[in-house]
PDB file of all heavy atoms in Angstrom:
ATOM      1  N   TYR A   1     -75.004  56.636 -23.598  1.00  0.00           N
ATOM      2  CA  TYR A   1     -74.705  56.845 -22.185  1.00  0.00           C
ATOM      3  C   TYR A   1     -73.868  58.102 -22.000  1.00  0.00           C
ATOM      4  O   TYR A   1     -72.992  58.416 -22.806  1.00  0.00           O
ATOM      5  CB  TYR A   1     -73.956  55.638 -21.617  1.00  0.00           C
ATOM      6  CG  TYR A   1     -74.757  54.359 -21.681  1.00  0.00           C
ATOM      7  CD1 TYR A   1     -74.686  53.538 -22.807  1.00  0.00           C
ATOM      8  CD2 TYR A   1     -75.609  53.996 -20.650  1.00  0.00           C
ATOM      9  CE1 TYR A   1     -75.442  52.376 -22.887  1.00  0.00           C
ATOM     10  CE2 TYR A   1     -76.359  52.837 -20.718  1.00  0.00           C
ATOM     11  CZ  TYR A   1     -76.276  52.035 -21.839  1.00  0.00           C
ATOM     12  OH  TYR A   1     -77.028  50.888 -21.916  1.00  0.00           O
ATOM     13  N   GLN A   2     -74.162  58.820 -20.899  1.00  0.00           N
ATOM     14  CA  GLN A   2     -73.366  59.994 -20.559  1.00  0.00           C
ATOM     15  C   GLN A   2     -72.016  59.609 -19.964  1.00  0.00           C
ATOM     16  O   GLN A   2     -71.060  60.358 -20.040  1.00  0.00           O
ATOM     17  CB  GLN A   2     -74.113  60.891 -19.552  1.00  0.00           C
ATOM     18  CG  GLN A   2     -75.231  61.717 -20.151  1.00  0.00           C
ATOM     19  CD  GLN A   2     -76.506  60.893 -20.287  1.00  0.00           C
ATOM     20  OE1 GLN A   2     -76.758  60.003 -19.484  1.00  0.00           O
ATOM     21  NE2 GLN A   2     -77.304  61.196 -21.288  1.00  0.00           N
ATOM     22  N   LEU A   3     -71.963  58.432 -19.347  1.00  0.00           N
ATOM     23  CA  LEU A   3     -70.731  57.996 -18.707  1.00  0.00           C
ATOM     24  C   LEU A   3     -70.571  56.494 -18.864  1.00  0.00           C
ATOM     25  O   LEU A   3     -71.507  55.746 -18.616  1.00  0.00           O
ATOM     26  CB  LEU A   3     -70.751  58.353 -17.211  1.00  0.00           C
ATOM     27  CG  LEU A   3     -69.525  57.940 -16.388  1.00  0.00           C
ATOM     28  CD1 LEU A   3     -68.296  58.711 -16.848  1.00  0.00           C
ATOM     29  CD2 LEU A   3     -69.771  58.171 -14.903  1.00  0.00           C
ATOM     30  N   VAL A   4     -69.399  56.078 -19.290  1.00  0.00           N
ATOM     31  CA  VAL A   4     -69.058  54.659 -19.369  1.00  0.00           C
ATOM     32  C   VAL A   4     -67.863  54.425 -18.446  1.00  0.00           C
ATOM     33  O   VAL A   4     -66.866  55.151 -18.514  1.00  0.00           O
ATOM     34  CB  VAL A   4     -68.711  54.233 -20.803  1.00  0.00           C
ATOM     35  CG1 VAL A   4     -68.218  52.785 -20.826  1.00  0.00           C
ATOM     36  CG2 VAL A   4     -69.927  54.387 -21.716  1.00  0.00           C
ATOM     37  N   VAL A   5     -67.975  53.442 -17.567  1.00  0.00           N
ATOM     38  CA  VAL A   5     -66.908  53.113 -16.625  1.00  0.00           C
ATOM     39  C   VAL A   5     -66.247  51.806 -17.050  1.00  0.00           C
ATOM     40  O   VAL A   5     -66.922  50.789 -17.208  1.00  0.00           O
ATOM     41  CB  VAL A   5     -67.468  52.974 -15.189  1.00  0.00           C
ATOM     42  CG1 VAL A   5     -66.348  52.615 -14.213  1.00  0.00           C
ATOM     43  CG2 VAL A   5     -68.169  54.258 -14.748  1.00  0.00           C
ATOM     44  N   ALA A   6     -64.952  51.863 -17.260  1.00  0.00           N
ATOM     45  CA  ALA A   6     -64.174  50.670 -17.588  1.00  0.00           C
ATOM     46  C   ALA A   6     -63.045  50.569 -16.567  1.00  0.00           C
ATOM     47  O   ALA A   6     -61.906  50.957 -16.827  1.00  0.00           O
ATOM     48  CB  ALA A   6     -63.633  50.745 -19.006  1.00  0.00           C
ATOM     49  N   ALA A   7     -63.387  50.085 -15.387  1.00  0.00           N
ATOM     50  CA  ALA A   7     -62.437  50.009 -14.277  1.00  0.00           C
ATOM     51  C   ALA A   7     -61.736  48.657 -14.302  1.00  0.00           C
ATOM     52  O   ALA A   7     -62.368  47.629 -14.082  1.00  0.00           O
ATOM     53  CB  ALA A   7     -63.170  50.206 -12.945  1.00  0.00           C
ATOM     54  N   ASP A   8     -60.438  48.668 -14.579  1.00  0.00           N
ATOM     55  CA  ASP A   8     -59.640  47.437 -14.624  1.00  0.00           C
ATOM     56  C   ASP A   8     -60.258  46.421 -15.582  1.00  0.00           C
ATOM     57  O   ASP A   8     -60.445  45.251 -15.239  1.00  0.00           O
ATOM     58  CB  ASP A   8     -59.505  46.835 -13.225  1.00  0.00           C
ATOM     59  CG  ASP A   8     -58.794  47.775 -12.267  1.00  0.00           C
ATOM     60  OD1 ASP A   8     -58.071  48.659 -12.737  1.00  0.00           O
ATOM     61  OD2 ASP A   8     -58.970  47.629 -11.043  1.00  0.00           O
ATOM     62  N   VAL A   9     -60.565  46.869 -16.781  1.00  0.00           N
ATOM     63  CA  VAL A   9     -61.208  46.023 -17.785  1.00  0.00           C
ATOM     64  C   VAL A   9     -60.325  45.824 -19.011  1.00  0.00           C
ATOM     65  O   VAL A   9     -60.150  44.696 -19.489  1.00  0.00           O
ATOM     66  CB  VAL A   9     -62.565  46.629 -18.208  1.00  0.00           C
ATOM     67  CG1 VAL A   9     -63.115  45.920 -19.437  1.00  0.00           C
ATOM     68  CG2 VAL A   9     -63.564  46.558 -17.063  1.00  0.00           C
ATOM     69  N   LEU A  10     -59.741  46.895 -19.525  1.00  0.00           N
ATOM     70  CA  LEU A  10     -59.072  46.829 -20.826  1.00  0.00           C
ATOM     71  C   LEU A  10     -57.883  45.886 -20.837  1.00  0.00           C
ATOM     72  O   LEU A  10     -57.549  45.321 -21.881  1.00  0.00           O
ATOM     73  CB  LEU A  10     -58.644  48.227 -21.257  1.00  0.00           C
ATOM     74  CG  LEU A  10     -59.782  49.217 -21.508  1.00  0.00           C
ATOM     75  CD1 LEU A  10     -59.229  50.579 -21.883  1.00  0.00           C
ATOM     76  CD2 LEU A  10     -60.725  48.700 -22.593  1.00  0.00           C
ATOM     77  N   GLU A  11     -57.246  45.693 -19.690  1.00  0.00           N
ATOM     78  CA  GLU A  11     -56.114  44.763 -19.640  1.00  0.00           C
ATOM     79  C   GLU A  11     -56.555  43.305 -19.692  1.00  0.00           C
ATOM     80  O   GLU A  11     -55.720  42.400 -19.830  1.00  0.00           O
ATOM     81  CB  GLU A  11     -55.274  45.013 -18.377  1.00  0.00           C
ATOM     82  CG  GLU A  11     -55.978  44.722 -17.078  1.00  0.00           C
ATOM     83  CD  GLU A  11     -56.748  45.905 -16.521  1.00  0.00           C
ATOM     84  OE1 GLU A  11     -57.054  46.840 -17.305  1.00  0.00           O
ATOM     85  OE2 GLU A  11     -57.034  45.910 -15.319  1.00  0.00           O
ATOM     86  N   HIS A  12     -57.876  43.064 -19.608  1.00  0.00           N
ATOM     87  CA  HIS A  12     -58.402  41.698 -19.631  1.00  0.00           C
ATOM     88  C   HIS A  12     -58.945  41.282 -20.996  1.00  0.00           C
ATOM     89  O   HIS A  12     -59.414  40.157 -21.149  1.00  0.00           O
ATOM     90  CB  HIS A  12     -59.513  41.546 -18.582  1.00  0.00           C
ATOM     91  CG  HIS A  12     -59.024  41.624 -17.172  1.00  0.00           C
ATOM     92  ND1 HIS A  12     -58.515  40.539 -16.485  1.00  0.00           N
ATOM     93  CD2 HIS A  12     -58.962  42.678 -16.313  1.00  0.00           C
ATOM     94  CE1 HIS A  12     -58.164  40.908 -15.274  1.00  0.00           C
ATOM     95  NE2 HIS A  12     -58.414  42.198 -15.130  1.00  0.00           N
ATOM     96  N   VAL A  13     -58.924  42.189 -21.972  1.00  0.00           N
ATOM     97  CA  VAL A  13     -59.454  41.851 -23.295  1.00  0.00           C
ATOM     98  C   VAL A  13     -58.328  41.852 -24.318  1.00  0.00           C
ATOM     99  O   VAL A  13     -57.354  42.601 -24.201  1.00  0.00           O
ATOM    100  CB  VAL A  13     -60.579  42.816 -23.728  1.00  0.00           C
ATOM    101  CG1 VAL A  13     -61.768  42.714 -22.792  1.00  0.00           C
ATOM    102  CG2 VAL A  13     -60.081  44.248 -23.802  1.00  0.00           C
ATOM    103  N   ARG A  14     -58.488  41.023 -25.341  1.00  0.00           N
ATOM    104  CA  ARG A  14     -57.425  40.870 -26.325  1.00  0.00           C
ATOM    105  C   ARG A  14     -57.313  42.069 -27.261  1.00  0.00           C
ATOM    106  O   ARG A  14     -56.227  42.375 -27.748  1.00  0.00           O
ATOM    107  CB  ARG A  14     -57.660  39.595 -27.151  1.00  0.00           C
ATOM    108  CG  ARG A  14     -57.492  38.307 -26.352  1.00  0.00           C
ATOM    109  CD  ARG A  14     -57.501  37.082 -27.262  1.00  0.00           C
ATOM    110  NE  ARG A  14     -58.757  36.931 -27.969  1.00  0.00           N
ATOM    111  CZ  ARG A  14     -59.796  36.249 -27.495  1.00  0.00           C
ATOM    112  NH1 ARG A  14     -59.726  35.661 -26.314  1.00  0.00           N
ATOM    113  NH2 ARG A  14     -60.909  36.136 -28.196  1.00  0.00           N
ATOM    114  N   ASP A  15     -58.424  42.742 -27.526  1.00  0.00           N
ATOM    115  CA  ASP A  15     -58.407  43.872 -28.455  1.00  0.00           C
ATOM    116  C   ASP A  15     -59.049  45.088 -27.786  1.00  0.00           C
ATOM    117  O   ASP A  15     -60.203  45.425 -28.072  1.00  0.00           O
ATOM    118  CB  ASP A  15     -59.164  43.498 -29.737  1.00  0.00           C
ATOM    119  CG  ASP A  15     -58.965  44.522 -30.846  1.00  0.00           C
ATOM    120  OD1 ASP A  15     -58.386  45.584 -30.583  1.00  0.00           O
ATOM    121  OD2 ASP A  15     -59.399  44.251 -31.984  1.00  0.00           O
ATOM    122  N   PRO A  16     -58.326  45.769 -26.895  1.00  0.00           N
ATOM    123  CA  PRO A  16     -58.915  46.928 -26.201  1.00  0.00           C
ATOM    124  C   PRO A  16     -59.267  48.071 -27.140  1.00  0.00           C
ATOM    125  O   PRO A  16     -60.186  48.838 -26.856  1.00  0.00           O
ATOM    126  CB  PRO A  16     -57.822  47.330 -25.205  1.00  0.00           C
ATOM    127  CG  PRO A  16     -56.561  46.751 -25.740  1.00  0.00           C
ATOM    128  CD  PRO A  16     -56.946  45.496 -26.447  1.00  0.00           C
ATOM    129  N   ALA A  17     -58.561  48.192 -28.274  1.00  0.00           N
ATOM    130  CA  ALA A  17     -58.893  49.254 -29.220  1.00  0.00           C
ATOM    131  C   ALA A  17     -60.296  49.058 -29.786  1.00  0.00           C
ATOM    132  O   ALA A  17     -61.061  50.016 -29.949  1.00  0.00           O
ATOM    133  CB  ALA A  17     -57.864  49.284 -30.347  1.00  0.00           C
ATOM    134  N   ARG A  18     -60.635  47.809 -30.079  1.00  0.00           N
ATOM    135  CA  ARG A  18     -61.977  47.524 -30.589  1.00  0.00           C
ATOM    136  C   ARG A  18     -63.039  47.851 -29.551  1.00  0.00           C
ATOM    137  O   ARG A  18     -64.078  48.446 -29.867  1.00  0.00           O
ATOM    138  CB  ARG A  18     -62.076  46.064 -30.983  1.00  0.00           C
ATOM    139  CG  ARG A  18     -63.486  45.643 -31.390  1.00  0.00           C
ATOM    140  CD  ARG A  18     -63.600  44.143 -31.573  1.00  0.00           C
ATOM    141  NE  ARG A  18     -64.971  43.752 -31.860  1.00  0.00           N
ATOM    142  CZ  ARG A  18     -65.375  42.493 -31.991  1.00  0.00           C
ATOM    143  NH1 ARG A  18     -64.498  41.509 -31.879  1.00  0.00           N
ATOM    144  NH2 ARG A  18     -66.630  42.208 -32.243  1.00  0.00           N
ATOM    145  N   LEU A  19     -62.775  47.491 -28.294  1.00  0.00           N
ATOM    146  CA  LEU A  19     -63.740  47.758 -27.234  1.00  0.00           C
ATOM    147  C   LEU A  19     -63.922  49.251 -27.031  1.00  0.00           C
ATOM    148  O   LEU A  19     -65.051  49.735 -26.879  1.00  0.00           O
ATOM    149  CB  LEU A  19     -63.296  47.095 -25.939  1.00  0.00           C
ATOM    150  CG  LEU A  19     -64.245  47.234 -24.742  1.00  0.00           C
ATOM    151  CD1 LEU A  19     -65.626  46.673 -25.075  1.00  0.00           C
ATOM    152  CD2 LEU A  19     -63.671  46.535 -23.512  1.00  0.00           C
ATOM    153  N   LEU A  20     -62.827  50.016 -27.066  1.00  0.00           N
ATOM    154  CA  LEU A  20     -62.947  51.467 -26.936  1.00  0.00           C
ATOM    155  C   LEU A  20     -63.725  52.065 -28.105  1.00  0.00           C
ATOM    156  O   LEU A  20     -64.495  53.018 -27.932  1.00  0.00           O
ATOM    157  CB  LEU A  20     -61.562  52.103 -26.851  1.00  0.00           C
ATOM    158  CG  LEU A  20     -60.847  52.021 -25.504  1.00  0.00           C
ATOM    159  CD1 LEU A  20     -59.431  52.580 -25.623  1.00  0.00           C
ATOM    160  CD2 LEU A  20     -61.628  52.759 -24.421  1.00  0.00           C
ATOM    161  N   GLY A  21     -63.541  51.495 -29.292  1.00  0.00           N
ATOM    162  CA  GLY A  21     -64.316  51.960 -30.445  1.00  0.00           C
ATOM    163  C   GLY A  21     -65.798  51.708 -30.270  1.00  0.00           C
ATOM    164  O   GLY A  21     -66.634  52.564 -30.601  1.00  0.00           O
ATOM    165  N   ASP A  22     -66.152  50.546 -29.717  1.00  0.00           N
ATOM    166  CA  ASP A  22     -67.556  50.245 -29.442  1.00  0.00           C
ATOM    167  C   ASP A  22     -68.121  51.209 -28.399  1.00  0.00           C
ATOM    168  O   ASP A  22     -69.264  51.679 -28.517  1.00  0.00           O
ATOM    169  CB  ASP A  22     -67.703  48.808 -28.924  1.00  0.00           C
ATOM    170  CG  ASP A  22     -67.506  47.772 -30.024  1.00  0.00           C
ATOM    171  OD1 ASP A  22     -67.393  48.164 -31.195  1.00  0.00           O
ATOM    172  OD2 ASP A  22     -67.456  46.569 -29.695  1.00  0.00           O
ATOM    173  N   VAL A  23     -67.327  51.480 -27.380  1.00  0.00           N
ATOM    174  CA  VAL A  23     -67.765  52.411 -26.338  1.00  0.00           C
ATOM    175  C   VAL A  23     -68.014  53.794 -26.929  1.00  0.00           C
ATOM    176  O   VAL A  23     -69.022  54.453 -26.624  1.00  0.00           O
ATOM    177  CB  VAL A  23     -66.703  52.485 -25.214  1.00  0.00           C
ATOM    178  CG1 VAL A  23     -66.960  53.675 -24.300  1.00  0.00           C
ATOM    179  CG2 VAL A  23     -66.695  51.191 -24.402  1.00  0.00           C
ATOM    180  N   ARG A  24     -67.120  54.240 -27.779  1.00  0.00           N
ATOM    181  CA  ARG A  24     -67.265  55.566 -28.400  1.00  0.00           C
ATOM    182  C   ARG A  24     -68.574  55.658 -29.179  1.00  0.00           C
ATOM    183  O   ARG A  24     -69.237  56.700 -29.183  1.00  0.00           O
ATOM    184  CB  ARG A  24     -66.067  55.822 -29.319  1.00  0.00           C
ATOM    185  CG  ARG A  24     -65.927  57.251 -29.799  1.00  0.00           C
ATOM    186  CD  ARG A  24     -64.609  57.421 -30.562  1.00  0.00           C
ATOM    187  NE  ARG A  24     -64.373  58.805 -30.899  1.00  0.00           N
ATOM    188  CZ  ARG A  24     -64.833  59.398 -31.998  1.00  0.00           C
ATOM    189  NH1 ARG A  24     -65.551  58.697 -32.863  1.00  0.00           N
ATOM    190  NH2 ARG A  24     -64.575  60.660 -32.234  1.00  0.00           N
ATOM    191  N   ALA A  25     -68.956  54.577 -29.826  1.00  0.00           N
ATOM    192  CA  ALA A  25     -70.182  54.575 -30.624  1.00  0.00           C
ATOM    193  C   ALA A  25     -71.425  54.685 -29.759  1.00  0.00           C
ATOM    194  O   ALA A  25     -72.494  55.060 -30.257  1.00  0.00           O
ATOM    195  CB  ALA A  25     -70.239  53.312 -31.473  1.00  0.00           C
ATOM    196  N   HIS A  26     -71.315  54.352 -28.466  1.00  0.00           N
ATOM    197  CA  HIS A  26     -72.473  54.380 -27.577  1.00  0.00           C
ATOM    198  C   HIS A  26     -72.461  55.570 -26.627  1.00  0.00           C
ATOM    199  O   HIS A  26     -73.282  55.628 -25.702  1.00  0.00           O
ATOM    200  CB  HIS A  26     -72.551  53.082 -26.771  1.00  0.00           C
ATOM    201  CG  HIS A  26     -73.009  51.908 -27.578  1.00  0.00           C
ATOM    202  ND1 HIS A  26     -74.341  51.690 -27.890  1.00  0.00           N
ATOM    203  CD2 HIS A  26     -72.319  50.900 -28.159  1.00  0.00           C
ATOM    204  CE1 HIS A  26     -74.445  50.588 -28.615  1.00  0.00           C
ATOM    205  NE2 HIS A  26     -73.230  50.091 -28.797  1.00  0.00           N
ATOM    206  N   LEU A  27     -71.548  56.520 -26.826  1.00  0.00           N
ATOM    207  CA  LEU A  27     -71.519  57.705 -25.975  1.00  0.00           C
ATOM    208  C   LEU A  27     -72.524  58.744 -26.462  1.00  0.00           C
ATOM    209  O   LEU A  27     -72.610  59.027 -27.664  1.00  0.00           O
ATOM    210  CB  LEU A  27     -70.131  58.331 -25.968  1.00  0.00           C
ATOM    211  CG  LEU A  27     -69.083  57.755 -25.026  1.00  0.00           C
ATOM    212  CD1 LEU A  27     -67.793  58.557 -25.154  1.00  0.00           C
ATOM    213  CD2 LEU A  27     -69.563  57.741 -23.581  1.00  0.00           C
ATOM    214  N   ALA A  28     -73.261  59.316 -25.537  1.00  0.00           N
ATOM    215  CA  ALA A  28     -74.140  60.431 -25.864  1.00  0.00           C
ATOM    216  C   ALA A  28     -73.286  61.675 -26.115  1.00  0.00           C
ATOM    217  O   ALA A  28     -72.109  61.722 -25.721  1.00  0.00           O
ATOM    218  CB  ALA A  28     -75.108  60.679 -24.708  1.00  0.00           C
ATOM    219  N   PRO A  29     -73.835  62.688 -26.777  1.00  0.00           N
ATOM    220  CA  PRO A  29     -73.080  63.931 -26.965  1.00  0.00           C
ATOM    221  C   PRO A  29     -72.593  64.471 -25.622  1.00  0.00           C
ATOM    222  O   PRO A  29     -73.353  64.568 -24.666  1.00  0.00           O
ATOM    223  CB  PRO A  29     -74.109  64.867 -27.607  1.00  0.00           C
ATOM    224  CG  PRO A  29     -75.045  63.943 -28.330  1.00  0.00           C
ATOM    225  CD  PRO A  29     -75.145  62.730 -27.458  1.00  0.00           C
ATOM    226  N   GLY A  30     -71.323  64.808 -25.553  1.00  0.00           N
ATOM    227  CA  GLY A  30     -70.741  65.291 -24.304  1.00  0.00           C
ATOM    228  C   GLY A  30     -70.389  64.191 -23.330  1.00  0.00           C
ATOM    229  O   GLY A  30     -69.985  64.470 -22.200  1.00  0.00           O
ATOM    230  N   GLY A  31     -70.529  62.921 -23.750  1.00  0.00           N
ATOM    231  CA  GLY A  31     -70.273  61.799 -22.855  1.00  0.00           C
ATOM    232  C   GLY A  31     -68.803  61.634 -22.527  1.00  0.00           C
ATOM    233  O   GLY A  31     -67.922  62.136 -23.228  1.00  0.00           O
TER     234      GLY A  31
END
């Protein structure tokens, strides 16, 4: 994906670092 939106999400998960790592793996170049 070129853009990932996480609006008021990370404060609701127990391991936001893991979720951000997953998001990074799904970013297209320049995302």
